[in-house]
Amino acid sequence: MIIDCHGHFTTAPKALEDWRNRQVASLKGGDAPKASELRIGDDELREAIEKNQLARMDERGSDLTIFSPRASFMAHHVGGFETSAAWSAICNELIHRVAGLFPDRFIGAAMLPQSPGVDPRTCIPELERCVKEYGFVAINLNPDPSGGHWTSPPLPDRHWYPIYEKMVEYEVPAMIHVSTSCNACFHTTGAHYLNADTTAFMQCLTSELFRDFPTLKFVIPHGGGAVPYHWGRFRGLAQELKKPLLSEHLLKNVFFDTCVYHQPGIDLLAKVIPVENILFASEMIGAVRGIDPQTGHYYDDTRRYIEASTILSDADRKAIYEGNARSVYPRLDRALRAKGL
């Protein structure tokens, strides 16, 4: 199988955005819309998926996508906990419905109702609902709910431990994924996302988080931001900080996806990061949707880069496409085994 660990519902019917706009407008006065006021039929969901993500999956030969709400729409900085709770519940329910309509092609990952300054324990009911009732296999965890101002404690802080305890209990990894930047210094997809990937890795490097949670797993998207490119810097910093080798200190718990949109980037990732720490992903249809004039192919057709890489063996590709994902996402593996896969 070819399992894409990083997909977002970026093509949801417009009614979802309209509902959200009403919710945001209500923060200035007036009643917030009720969840029951959002009406999206199954036929609308099918059309949104079949003409977009599913068509691309079929064209490119991927089998299954771990699917979550649109990252830039999470916008945890908007409103307070009640706003985020209502919005998360609606977005997660749509993901559940998509997975129900296409059970062999999509499986859910949850958006959490995070909010700046709010205890992460408030996210646990939604996390549990998505795992227990919806069968989701992962969560997205935003290390910066403030939207580019970084007002939350770093990831190893005990502030986050209630989430980690549930992740370990339910065997769900977290993709460390920020949302929209409301800081003009940081473009959302071109800077804020990549900054966060790099920042999350460094926060883990300086800590002993995985001593407290030896089975906790993080997936750092977008190829790890700057991490592979500056691997020597991180190795050197770990050495100066008297940390163990990164293979022991982090790489049993931290993984990287292949959302890197050119051949040299994938080759570098495959050369620097151990194969067992690389998961196939494309993030399509996501931040980069165009066709590369140098190749004539979509930038986000990441399978082409993996197939063309001279760094990887056939066994390496099998691990990246399927084996590593089944190891990092135990609930996914069990769901596939239940289907005889």
Side-chain angles (χ1 to χ4, degrees), residues 110-322:
M111 166 186 169
L112 299 182
Q114 297 177 247
S115 188
V118 176
D119 191 330
R121 288 181 179 83
T122 57
C123 295
I124 289 174
E126 183 65 14
L127 187 160
E128 291 184 323
R129 183 170 72 98
C130 287
V131 172
K132 292 180 177 180
E133 297 180 23
Y134 291 169
F136 285 12
V137 299
I139 63 171
N140 289 343
L141 182 65
N142 186 350
D144 174 36
S146 70
H149 295 289
W150 291 92
T151 57
S152 294
L155 288 170
D157 191 273
R158 298 190 70 86
H159 168 85
W160 300 100
Y161 275 30
I163 298 291
Y164 301 156
E165 288 165 0
K166 286 298 175 182
M167 287 172 59
V168 169
E169 179 182 349
Y170 293 125
E171 295 183 288
V172 292
M175 179 167 281
I176 305 300
H177 207 308
V178 289
S179 185
T180 299
S181 170
C182 56
N183 183 334
C185 295
F186 305 115
H187 183 277
T188 293
T189 55
H192 186 42
Y193 283 13
L194 306 182
N195 293 346
D197 303 334
T198 310
T199 298
F201 184 83
M202 190 63 197
Q203 288 179 355
C204 293
L205 187 152
T206 59
S207 78
E208 302 299 333
L209 174 62
F210 301 119
R211 283 189 184 177
D212 287 349
F213 297 98
T215 62
L216 185 69
K217 291 182 172 64
F218 290 159
V219 177
I220 299 184
H222 318 115
V227 173
Y229 189 69
H230 287 286
W231 195 244
R233 175 180 291 258
F234 290 110
R235 288 176 52 237
L237 288 169
Q239 183 174 313
E240 290 182 13
L241 293 167
K242 310 299 182 187
K243 300 297 184 183
L245 295 175
L246 293 182
S247 58
E248 293 296 317
H249 186 46
L250 296 182
L251 293 187
K252 294 179 180 179
N253 306 87
V254 176
F255 303 84
F256 304 84
D257 78 13
T258 63
C259 292
V260 180
Y261 297 145
H262 64 152
Q263 190 69 51
I266 289 292
D267 290 341
L268 175 72
L269 180 68
K271 188 173 183 179
V272 172
I273 301 301
V275 166
E276 58 265 31
N277 290 85
I278 302 174
L279 306 179
F280 176 71
S282 67
E283 201 185 356
M284 70 85 183
I285 297 169
V288 181
R289 304 186 181 194
I291 293 175
D292 185 344
Q294 294 182 5
T295 67
H297 300 293
Y298 284 99
Y299 285 101
D300 62 4
D301 187 356
T302 53
R303 185 182 175 187
R304 286 185 176 273
Y305 310 132
I306 294 167
E307 291 295 323
S309 177
T310 59
I311 306 295
L312 298 169
S313 67
D314 288 344
D316 293 337
R317 292 185 181 90
K318 180 176 175 60
I320 290 170
Y321 285 145
E322 177 181 5

